[in-house]
Structures are given as structure tokens and as C-alpha cells.
Amino acid sequence: MNGGLQTTMGDAERTSSFFDRYSKKYDIKYINKYFKDNYRWLFAHIPDLTGKCIADIGCGTGELCNAISSLYDTVEVYGIDISKEMIAKAKTINSNNKNVFLSVGDVHNLHFKSNSFDYVINTISFHHYQQPNLALSEFYRILKPGGTLILLDSVTNPFIISFMPTFWDIKERSKCYTRHLSTRKFRQLFDASDFKKVDYYYYMRFFPARHILCKAVK
């Protein structure tokens, strides 16, 4: 798959700086609740993870890594984020989790070996990727044959009932790259990918915003 918009060093630094600052907001109650509510919905679509190897791409402060580690002591969870401050907080949150491994990295060029993970999880960060095709290719590359991608993000909608993603793009685009995709665009991306099977699930919440969960099998 070919990449879309090109990522420049300036873009990467701007995005990293934005999330370094944003890491300080994660303790705000309504922001923290938003992400944790998403994680609960995510778990409803993931089977037993016992003994699995999992990559959490765009892991933020590592709350999901911690939740998975708390539920399954035999998993290995590898979290990666572009922000050093996010990873610093994630290491604090996961300081007692010996099966969680955290590092700074770019989704467009992941440092993981091919065919390494049973599951790749990506939550509420896909709209920050300048080259979504390339990010999806990287997810596919690092999955084992038969492995599953769980991708959750908010999407644009032509109707006023789902106006928040467009508002967020307008509000934040001067600070970092942000471009929420439509449901149609997500389907086009997966149709052009090598994933064998993709299921789509939708729900509405948060001010409001329509969310899509894509469950794709390699």
C-alpha cells in the first residue's frame, strides 16, 4: 500500500511536542474516563488473551497496557508512542508489570520485527497519522499470520449528530497533524489492504461523536 501525505521531521516533532504537553491532561477526570470507557468497549470485542503477544500502538500513558497486564499475567504487551512524556508516564503506571515493555517510536516505521504479534491494538490515535495507508501496512507487517488488528477511532459524519471529530480537527490542527477519517474512508483503506477479513462496529458517544471499531484478520 502506498502512503498518503508525507511525514516531515517538523511534523513529527510538532506531534511529539503536542502529546508531551497533552500527557499532563490525562489525569483530568473526564479525559481519563473517555479513554477508559473506550477500553471497556474494546475488551468486549477481544477474546481470551492468555499467552498472547500484543502491541499497543499509540499507547499514550499506558492505561490499556496496565489493564491488559492486570487481567492476564501470561501476556506480553509492547506499548509504543511518539511522545517521550507519554512513555515516561506509562512506565510509572506500569512499573510493577514485568510483562509490559514500553518504548518511543513512530507508527510509520515501527521497530518491531515482522510476524511478531497475535494482536495489534490502536485506539483513538489513527487520525493523527499523516500516512494512514503506511500505518495500516505496518500493523499488517508486524502481525503474525492469522493475527488480529483492533482499531478504534472516532470518525467524521456529514450529519450534525456527529460533529465533534470535525471540531477537534479544526481546534488542534495548528498544534499537530489531525484529520479524522470518514466511515467510507476506513472501508476504502481496508479494501485496499491485504487483510483477509474485516468486521466493523459503531457506537455514538462523547458530545457526540461516532466511533468505528475495525477488527481485521491477517
Side-chain angles (χ1 to χ4, degrees), residues 49 51-60 62-66 68-69 74-81 87 90-91 94 97-105 110-113 115-122 139 142 144:
L49 297 178
K52 302 299 184 182
C53 190
I54 301 156
D56 181 7
I57 310 299
C59 67
E63 294 277 5
L64 180 58
C65 295
N66 183 52
I68 293 173
S69 177
T74 60
V75 299
E76 288 186 358
V77 187
Y78 292 80
I80 187 170
D81 200 276
I87 291 298
K91 287 182 177 179
N94 289 275
N97 298 329
K98 305 305 181 184
N99 57 342
V100 174
F101 309 92
L102 301 158
S103 59
V104 176
L110 295 170
H111 56 252
F112 301 122
K113 293 180 179 180
N115 306 313
S116 296
F117 296 97
D118 298 292
Y119 286 90
V120 170
I121 299 174
N122 181 249
F139 296 161
I142 66 174
K144 296 176 181 178

Side-chain angles (χ1 to χ4, degrees), residues 180-196:
H180 283 83
L181 303 182
S182 65
T183 298
R184 180 182 178 183
K185 181 61 177 176
F186 267 110
R187 288 181 174 271
Q188 288 174 341
L189 279 172
F190 278 101
D191 285 346
S193 76
D194 293 321
F195 283 96
K196 294 178 181 177

Side-chain angles (χ1 to χ4, degrees), residues 2-46:
N2 295 320
L5 297 171
Q6 295 300 306
T7 304
T8 67
M9 182 61 70
D11 289 330
E13 290 177 349
R14 194 162 60 104
T15 299
S16 178
S17 296
F18 172 79
F19 282 103
D20 282 346
R21 296 190 299 272
Y22 197 76
S23 67
K24 299 176 175 61
K25 296 183 179 181
Y26 266 61
D27 293 329
I28 298 175
K29 186 175 181 180
Y30 76 90
I31 293 178
N32 191 269
K33 183 179 184 303
Y34 170 66
F35 286 106
K36 287 188 175 181
D37 285 348
N38 282 321
Y39 298 157
R40 280 193 287 271
W41 195 62
L42 191 78
F43 276 118
H45 294 271
I46 302 178

